[in-house]
Amino acid sequence: MTMAARIRKYFLFAIIVISSCDRVGENEKLVKQAAQLFVSSYETNWVAPYSYVREVFSNGRYCYFQGIQGVADIHFDVGHAKDYGTSLLDANFYTSDALVTDLYSPQSLKPVLKPESGSVYPATLHSLASSYHNSTCIEVWRQKSSIELYSPLSPSHVKEYDYIVEHVGEGPSKHIEVTFLSKAGFFPKRNKICGQGKLYLTAGYMPFRIELNNSENRTYSAAKGPARPIATPYHTIVDYVCRKGKIYISSISSFVRWEMPDVSEDEQLFIVESPSCRNPFKNGLTSETVLRFGEPYGNQTLPESIGSKYIWGKQVSLYSDSVDLSFWRDSFPDKFSKLLEDVGLTEEQLVERSLQISEEFRQAMLRNGIDVETSLHETRYYIESTK
């Protein structure tokens, strides 16, 4: 019996023991009410400052760090978004400062990791042994969007999950925790997510957190057929905050580790993100990614000139002509110290390497007709003018 089958067996046993059939129906009704409240309260258009930190480790040591701050322009209507594709890309992330580095030898200054080495898809043990890609995609944003479209947060998919509901805490800390598991027969034709997670609600049924664990996600894939072995066990958390009756995204976090499944060399696997180095299993690859949003800038929108200079969906720009080192040092003191130790650089060398990567990125974008330098300056001006 597979791990997924064992989880389902014990999950359904818990439902039978804890709940009667009437209670199961009540649980579904409660979740449906929460999902309807979520969709009706969800803010679809907003602008806010953001910080994005992606850390990739090899056997516990840094091999890639990407720290970016700037402003995000969000246009995502969870109630009317379509299937995978452009509906998941309804956000633009503009950079005002970036600290980016990879693992390299200080003596030769020769990068160990190049931006990419060919496509890793379709992912198999064979392709992952030699292919990797240090993407500038904000994968956690794509994960967030697919969770909102196909998890119990979506009223149209509530019936496609089994639930266990627990009322937790007393007084101001009182809330509801809903454990959910995909029912058989809906994936991947009707529901693009297959797996398990937990939904957190206030006492008034307003969602404030959702977690998804080790679930196959085909919202941005045309793959067909049954669920595939997971090569990247992961845990994704989306936190929300309610302001004046509207729900905004507070943060998105993702924790991924690479674990070799017991499959043949050419069997297709599910991976939640591209590996940042070849042979991720042998190299003990793990990653931590956190995207945080600050207070929204009211109903303001970005000047059209910024959007016309840099339109690249959910990608982030690695370009910055300077590095606010004090921000990264003060905001992430423990991470910063470990980063310097693992990559073997001084602070001055770290800034030099970051600016080198930024310039390489700018030149690559220029070859594609995209002027990231102009966008950088306009973004900084916009942030200052809205403070």
Side-chain angles (χ1 to χ4, degrees), residues 161-209:
Y161 295 90
D162 291 313
Y163 303 100
I164 295 177
V165 175
E166 297 179 82
H167 294 263
V168 181
E170 296 292 339
S173 64
K174 185 177 181 180
H175 66 280
I176 302 168
E177 296 182 5
V178 182
T179 304
F180 59 88
L181 179 70
S182 297
K183 291 180 179 179
F186 295 101
F187 177 86
K189 205 164 188 179
R190 173 168 169 75
N191 197 315
K192 304 299 182 182
I193 291 177
C194 180
Q196 59 180 320
K198 183 172 283 192
L199 176 63
Y200 296 79
L201 313 173
T202 66
Y205 300 165
M206 180 70 83
F208 66 89
R209 168 177 281 193

Side-chain angles (χ1 to χ4, degrees), residues 295-336:
E295 288 287 332
Y297 294 140
N299 294 321
Q300 300 180 58
T301 57
L302 285 171
E304 190 172 327
S305 58
I306 293 181
S308 65
K309 297 294 183 184
Y310 184 61
I311 302 175
W312 205 15
K314 62 183 177 3
Q315 308 279 354
V316 289
S317 170
L318 302 183
Y319 178 69
S320 181
D321 55 10
S322 62
V323 178
D324 185 355
L325 199 63
S326 61
F327 170 82
W328 300 107
R329 186 197 304 114
D330 297 344
S331 299
F332 310 97
D334 295 337
K335 296 178 185 293
F336 190 81

Side-chain angles (χ1 to χ4, degrees), residues 36-214:
Q36 291 172 335
L37 182 60
F38 176 78
V39 170
S40 64
S41 305
Y42 193 90
E43 181 57 71
T44 59
N45 297 287
W46 49 290
V47 176
Y50 78 90
S51 66
Y52 173 77
V53 175
R54 173 168 169 75
E55 305 163 277
V56 181
F57 302 90
S58 175
N59 296 315
R61 292 175 59 88
Y62 271 107
C63 65
Y64 193 69
F65 180 90
Q66 192 178 83
I68 298 170
Q69 57 174 326
V71 61
D73 189 14
I74 312 298
H75 304 281
F76 186 78
D77 189 344
V78 70
H80 298 90
K82 304 297 182 182
D83 201 348
Y84 67 86
T86 56
S87 64
L88 299 182
L89 313 184
D90 294 342
N92 289 291
F93 296 88
Y94 303 96
T95 299
S96 63
D97 183 71
L99 176 64
V100 185
T101 191
D102 51 12
L103 182 62
Y104 73 100
S105 167
Q107 289 77 27
S108 64
L109 299 183
K110 181 180 179 181
V112 172
L113 299 179
K114 298 179 181 179
E116 61 180 303
S117 65
S119 176
V120 298
Y121 297 99
T124 64
L125 294 182
H126 179 74
S127 70
L128 292 170
S130 58
S131 300
Y132 60 94
H133 181 59
N134 270 331
S135 175
T136 56
C137 287
I138 299 187
E139 296 287 353
V140 292
W141 178 261
R142 191 157 58 175
Q143 292 174 39
K144 181 277 314 175
S145 299
S146 56
I147 289 172
E148 292 173 345
L149 289 177
Y150 290 103
S151 77
L153 287 175
S154 171
S156 60
H157 294 287
V158 169
K159 289 183 175 293
E160 296 160 14
Y161 295 90
D162 291 313
Y163 303 100
I164 295 177
V165 175
E166 297 179 82
H167 294 263
V168 181
E170 296 292 339
S173 64
K174 185 177 181 180
H175 66 280
I176 302 168
E177 296 182 5
V178 182
T179 304
F180 59 88
L181 179 70
S182 297
K183 291 180 179 179
F186 295 101
F187 177 86
K189 205 164 188 179
R190 173 168 169 75
N191 197 315
K192 304 299 182 182
I193 291 177
C194 180
Q196 59 180 320
K198 183 172 283 192
L199 176 63
Y200 296 79
L201 313 173
T202 66
Y205 300 165
M206 180 70 83
F208 66 89
R209 168 177 281 193
I210 188 167
E211 301 177 0
L212 196 67
N213 301 311
N214 305 336

